[in-house]
Amino acid sequence: MAKQLDYHTIREIFTRFHEAEPEPKGELEHVNAYTLVVAVALSAQATDAGVNRATRELFKIADTPQKMLDLGEDGLIEHIKTIGLYRNKAKNVMKLSKILVEEYDGMVPNSRAALQSLPGVGRKTANVVLNMWWHYPAQAVDTHIFRVGNRTGICPGKNVDAVERAIEDNIPVDFQQHAHHWLILHGRYHCKARKPMCPTCIIRDLCQFEDKTI
């Protein structure tokens, strides 16, 4: 684990991220808050690309909790059976859809606690929804952010909660809204787990990773 970088270095890193991609976007396709919740819940231990392939047709016919209930669990499975753990995920999607209809008038709540009370929705999923739909600067820490945060020293921590706190505590507030997207995209396409692309990395000179590739 690298040492926590200082304020000025972190500001320079995110200034570069911003210059390279001013408006980073999440890669999960969705049409409203409900389909975003479903997409993020389905993405656990799966790739965004794989989820998008499965949900593209699904969301054309089931873009509300009631329509999902009308489709039924077997109908949902037909659409998502290419995704890992699809049976358990299908059960959770049906359960959360029922709760949304019965307790929230079919609307997706916009508090972290309410979101986390839904089956299959953990803190990371809740934070993604809060950030992407309601533009709240919540930080959803996945494996990419955990790796980048600890390699670089931007937001080191022994677990995802510690990394989330490090982001909130150390990244300047004007970069908080897009911070987790910049970090995810950097980890997904540049600071890869096995073969990080250090020679072409835009923050190579600021990063504390000791095993930089040549």
Side-chain angles (χ1 to χ4, degrees):
M1 184 192 302
K3 282 196 313 180
Q4 175 68 58
L5 291 171
D6 63 73
Y7 171 84
H8 297 290
T9 303
I10 292 175
R11 172 163 282 285
E12 175 60 24
I13 285 172
F14 281 90
T15 297
R16 294 182 190 182
F17 284 159
H18 178 267
E19 288 173 349
E21 182 59 70
E23 294 287 333
K25 304 292 184 186
E27 296 183 323
L28 283 173
E29 296 173 7
H30 58 283
V31 296
N32 54 30
Y34 171 70
T35 54
L36 178 58
V37 171
V38 172
V40 181
L42 293 176
S43 72
Q45 298 180 49
T47 65
D48 288 359
V51 172
N52 290 339
R53 282 193 296 272
T55 59
R56 213 161 274 147
E57 294 303 315
L58 171 66
F59 291 158
K60 290 179 182 178
I61 59 173
D63 60 354
T64 70
Q66 187 59 58
K67 288 179 183 177
M68 190 67 76
L69 293 175
D70 293 342
L71 177 64
E73 188 173 324
D74 289 341
L76 172 58
I77 285 174
E78 279 303 304
H79 285 276
I80 68 169
K81 59 187 178 183
T82 56
I83 300 174
L85 308 174
Y86 68 90
R87 290 191 184 280
N88 189 54
K89 290 176 180 178
K91 290 183 187 302
N92 283 334
V93 168
M94 301 312 291
K95 288 178 184 176
L96 73 83
S97 298
K98 189 170 188 289
I99 291 172
L100 290 176
V101 168
E102 294 179 350
E103 299 183 19
Y104 296 96
D105 297 321
M107 306 297 289
V108 175
N110 61 353
S111 82
R112 186 184 284 118
L115 284 166
Q116 284 188 248
S117 73
L118 299 173
V121 177
R123 186 178 180 89
K124 186 183 83 170
T125 297
N127 282 350
V128 171
V129 175
L130 291 173
N131 184 287
M132 289 181 64
W133 192 257
W134 282 287
H135 308 296
Y136 178 78
Q139 308 301 333
V141 179
D142 68 353
T143 54
H144 296 300
I145 293 180
F146 188 79
R147 178 176 67 255
V148 172
N150 279 292
R151 271 183 180 173
T152 61
I154 294 171
C155 47
K158 292 182 178 179
N159 53 52
V160 293
D161 290 339
V163 170
E164 182 180 331
R165 286 195 300 274
I167 294 173
E168 293 173 346
D169 291 346
N170 295 292
I171 293 175
V173 69
D174 45 320
F175 294 122
Q176 289 274 336
Q177 175 63 51
H178 294 310
H180 93 274
H181 280 134
W182 278 315
L183 293 169
I184 286 172
L185 295 173
H186 190 66
R188 183 173 291 163
Y189 298 111
H190 300 283
C191 195
K192 299 177 181 181
R194 293 185 179 177
K195 293 184 178 180
M197 300 167 67
C198 301
T200 57
C201 176
I202 62 173
I203 63 166
R204 177 186 172 90
D205 57 317
L206 304 173
C207 168
Q208 293 198 48
F209 186 42
E210 293 181 353
D211 299 320
K212 290 188 179 77
T213 55
I214 299 173

